[in-house]
Amino acid sequence: MAKKNKQTWDLAPAPESTGHVQIKDRYDLFINGKFVKPAGGKYFDSINPATEEKICDIALAGKKDVDKAVKAARKAYDEVWSKMSGKDRGKYIYRIARLIQERAREFSVLESMDGGKPIRESRDVDIPLVAAHFFYYAGWADKLDYAFPNRKFSAHGVAGQIIPWNFPLLMAAWKIAPALATGNTIVIKPAETTSLTIMKLAELIKESGLPDGVVNVVTGAGETGAAIVEHPDIDKIAFTGSTEVGKIIQKSIAGSGKKLTLELGGKAANIIFEDAPINQAVEGIVNGIFFNQGHVCCAGSRLFVQESVYDEVIEKLKHRIETLIVGDPLDKNTDVGAINSEGQLKTIEHYLKVGKEEGNEFYESSCSIPKKGYWCRPTLFLDVAQSSILAREEIFGPVLAVQTFRTIDEVITKANNTEYGLSAGVWTDKGSKIFNLTTQMRAGVVWANTYNRFDPTSPFGGYKESGFGREGGLHGLEPYLKFE
Ligand code: NAP
Ligand code: MG
């Protein structure tokens, strides 16, 4: 089967050009509207995970730098941003949105080079959504009184924001846009492996004329994030990342009066009933876990298939997996790009090893992978037990754990049997089944007959160990305001 598919699906390479992107050798910190060197004088490498080549140097911010950034944000809040009308704040946010649209191609290429995701994803999903979030929240800036009628509220002040590596610019947009719309100033830290596009965003923000100190970017590792969390003059922390670090942050700010929202990990159930449109569902499964290398907090990493259609679904899924093209993220034909970092590849390989040692039946794509870079073939584990590590822990890679069920009650119990509760998917022809499931699933988002759909007007967030607070939509404004 693999051979036949190779002939059918081997497409000539169609790589996106990189001539239009400008990358400096070194990126400094963005504090008070200026690019400044880190106090400690240290830098770390930004690596292209598809080639293992160094892209540039990124500044390593320490406590002193974070303090400088917080002071700049406080000053900008007190002297400029808190005094500005919502209408004027909105103008700046619209300007940022428009600039992102104008430079969408450049940002897409950079996001794929730095993070490893296929250009098709960054070009068609990430960057359009980044612009859409800024446009959406720009619209709210002068309408907060309508968002929360008859309530008295004000901004918190300085927001500290910490984001992960899987959607670097999109996570930055989810954080920056609502914070600015509600009148807060910002100190934001990207993940160590994906700092480049945020630094480009800082250049764009400077170009937009946003007053100095309203947005500050400090790059670095976990300690830089901890310095933001622990800084006494931060009013609100917004964190997206692992449940493990989320718990550390929660402990560290306990009793400090700082406000907190946590968007954490997930282990989503994707449920296929026998009456589902099977071909469509198979596409949804592939989109849910294999596109974007499974580097998605809401990835449909647990698949539940009703027994009567199990053989059909698995056969189609195996066939579809063989057609997935793994390779150069800048090639427009690529479906599965590079794993974000060497460390993440090791984590995924550990799960693959343990999953095989547990004795699970597995199926791995026979695709070829490039010699250099960090790659993982799409992999299915079949008939996985509820107790298996593959069904319990977040792998954050293109690895799918498949289970079966007979009745709706059984699948609800199995799907809810997890510490997480970020998202879920259901595939069926029956509206009643969808509503039954959506009311009983303990998950923040439940997609029906589709998967991984996002829109700035729609709130997103978790239950249980997937965190608390919502981002997106009207709900996403609330955590950035204090109400009397
Ligand atoms: P992570 O290790 O928790 O890191 C997230 C961010 O926190 C990074 O910027 C990291 O810096 C920083 N950090 C690390 N230790 C810290 C500390 N002690 N104090 C403050 N900040 C600290 O998560 P990740 O591996 O980057 O991202 C993957 C995780 O994010 C997955 O669990 C995924 O499910 C979750 N995620 C959730 C959502 C959602 O909306 N719920 C969205 C996307 C991702 P360094 O990277 O530089 O160490
Ligand atoms: Mg990188």
Side-chain angles (χ1 to χ4, degrees):
M1 187 168 70
K3 211 163 189 181
K4 185 172 132 229
N5 283 327
K6 280 230 158 359
Q7 287 164 357
T8 318
W9 298 103
D10 261 1
L11 302 173
E16 175 68 69
S17 63
T18 55
H20 56 98
V21 302
Q22 288 183 355
I23 306 173
K24 289 189 207 149
D25 290 340
R26 194 156 100 173
Y27 285 89
D28 287 317
L29 307 169
F30 184 60
I31 299 177
N32 205 23
K34 288 164 202 70
F35 290 92
V36 296
K37 295 194 183 339
K42 289 194 183 136
Y43 292 81
F44 58 92
D45 295 350
S46 189
I47 304 287
N48 178 338
T51 60
E52 296 178 51
E53 278 160 18
K54 176 175 164 179
I55 302 177
C56 60
D57 280 318
I58 301 281
L60 180 67
K63 275 191 175 166
K64 270 191 186 165
D65 305 297
V66 169
D67 184 53
K68 200 167 157 188
V70 174
K71 285 202 170 95
R74 175 63 61 194
K75 188 162 179 276
Y77 178 76
D78 289 342
E79 295 178 7
V80 186
W81 204 238
S82 63
K83 293 184 178 153
M84 198 182 278
S85 68
K87 194 173 159 201
D88 285 338
R89 283 202 311 274
K91 283 184 197 166
Y92 286 109
I93 310 171
Y94 275 123
R95 205 176 291 163
I96 294 170
R98 279 196 302 272
L99 285 169
I100 291 167
Q101 262 187 340
E102 279 167 23
R103 288 167 56 183
R105 194 167 155 212
E106 183 187 0
F107 273 105
S108 306
V109 170
L110 287 168
E111 197 74 315
S112 285
M113 284 173 77
D114 195 33
K117 66 173 64 193
I119 187 76
R120 207 178 58 206
E121 290 279 312
S122 46
R123 181 196 62 193
D124 299 348
V125 182
D126 292 54
I127 307 305
L129 275 173
V130 170
H133 271 84
F134 279 102
F135 276 118
Y136 175 74
Y137 281 111
W140 274 122
D142 63 346
K143 301 176 196 71
L144 297 175
D145 287 332
Y146 301 95
F148 306 105
N150 304 318
R151 294 179 75 183
K152 281 199 170 156
F153 53 81
S154 56
H156 287 299
V158 179
Q161 308 183 321
I162 299 163
I163 55 176
W165 46 259
N166 57 344
F167 288 86
L169 270 178
L170 186 57
M171 292 299 109
W174 279 24
K175 299 261 179 297
I176 295 174
L180 292 183
T182 46
N184 295 273
T185 58
I186 293 165
V187 176
I188 187 167
K189 188 199 99 67
E192 195 179 346
T193 59
T194 52
S195 303
L196 175 61
T197 46
I198 318 287
M199 294 323 298
K200 295 299 281 188
L201 181 66
E203 288 178 356
L204 182 150
I205 286 173
K206 190 171 165 62
E207 199 182 316
S208 77
L210 188 78
D212 291 349
V214 173
V215 173
N216 304 276
V217 186
V218 285
T219 44
E223 296 82 62
T224 313
I228 295 178
V229 171
E230 285 157 17
H231 196 289
D233 204 27
I234 293 265
D235 301 299
K236 188 221 151 44
I237 297 288
F239 173 78
T240 298
S242 61
T243 298
E244 189 189 348
V245 175
K247 285 181 182 173
I248 295 173
I249 292 178
Q250 205 170 6
K251 274 187 203 145
S252 132
I253 66 163
S256 70
K258 285 175 192 161
K259 295 280 175 268
L260 178 66
T261 39
L262 294 176
E263 298 278 357
L264 308 176
K267 192 75 191 172
N270 206 357
I271 302 168
I272 319 287
F273 285 99
E274 60 189 0
D275 55 19
I278 301 292
N279 290 342
Q280 210 177 309
V282 167
E283 269 317 294
I285 298 164
V286 167
N287 172 14
I289 184 72
F290 298 124
F291 290 172
N292 228 341
Q293 306 73 251
H295 293 346
V296 187
C297 51
C298 48
S301 52
R302 290 183 300 153
L303 175 65
F304 292 92
V305 188
Q306 198 155 20
E307 267 183 19
S308 46
V309 288
Y310 181 78
D311 290 343
E312 183 187 355
V313 169
I314 298 305
E315 197 201 319
K316 286 188 167 164
L317 196 52
K318 285 180 178 171
H319 186 268
R320 182 68 179 96
I321 284 175
E322 280 299 326
T323 67
L324 292 175
I325 299 172
V326 181
D328 183 2
L330 291 182
D331 188 326
K332 292 161 208 159
N333 299 319
T334 293
D335 298 301
V336 183
I339 300 302
N340 183 265
S341 64
E342 192 180 5
Q344 185 57 26
L345 180 59
K346 286 202 172 124
T347 303
I348 298 169
E349 284 171 345
H350 165 76
Y351 281 108
L352 291 173
K353 184 167 167 277
V354 176
K356 287 170 190 173
E357 280 168 6
E358 275 183 358
N360 296 294
E361 186 191 339
F362 69 96
Y363 181 85
E364 195 183 69
S365 160
S366 66
C367 65
S368 62
I369 52 175
K371 288 203 172 56
K372 276 217 123 184
Y374 313 128
W375 310 96
C376 180
R377 294 188 174 89
T379 306
L380 293 177
F381 280 94
L382 302 171
D383 264 331
V384 168
Q386 288 273 299
S387 57
S388 164
I389 195 169
L390 301 168
R392 286 184 290 112
E393 297 188 11
E394 189 182 37
I395 300 171
F396 231 56
V399 182
L400 180 62
V402 186
Q403 304 179 51
T404 59
F405 69 94
R406 288 185 183 169
T407 67
I408 188 160
D409 289 338
E410 179 192 351
V411 77
I412 290 169
T413 308
K414 281 181 167 174
N416 281 337
N417 181 18
T418 168
E419 289 157 17
Y420 295 111
L422 195 57
S423 60
V426 50
W427 299 82
T428 168
D429 198 26
K430 303 273 182 300
S432 57
K433 263 188 208 161
I434 293 172
F435 287 115
N436 187 355
L437 235 113
T438 48
T439 48
Q440 295 194 64
M441 289 295 296
R442 307 299 292 157
V445 179
V446 183
W447 285 291
N449 294 329
T450 186
Y451 207 86
N452 270 349
R453 292 269 166 195
F454 287 93
D455 188 281
T457 62
S458 174
F460 184 84
Y463 279 64
K464 301 193 276 188
E465 296 212 356
S466 290
F468 49 80
R470 293 292 177 265
E471 290 186 315
L474 186 60
H475 299 68
L477 293 166
E478 224 173 306
Y480 286 100
L481 293 169
K482 54 175 183 259
F483 294 88
E484 281 174 22

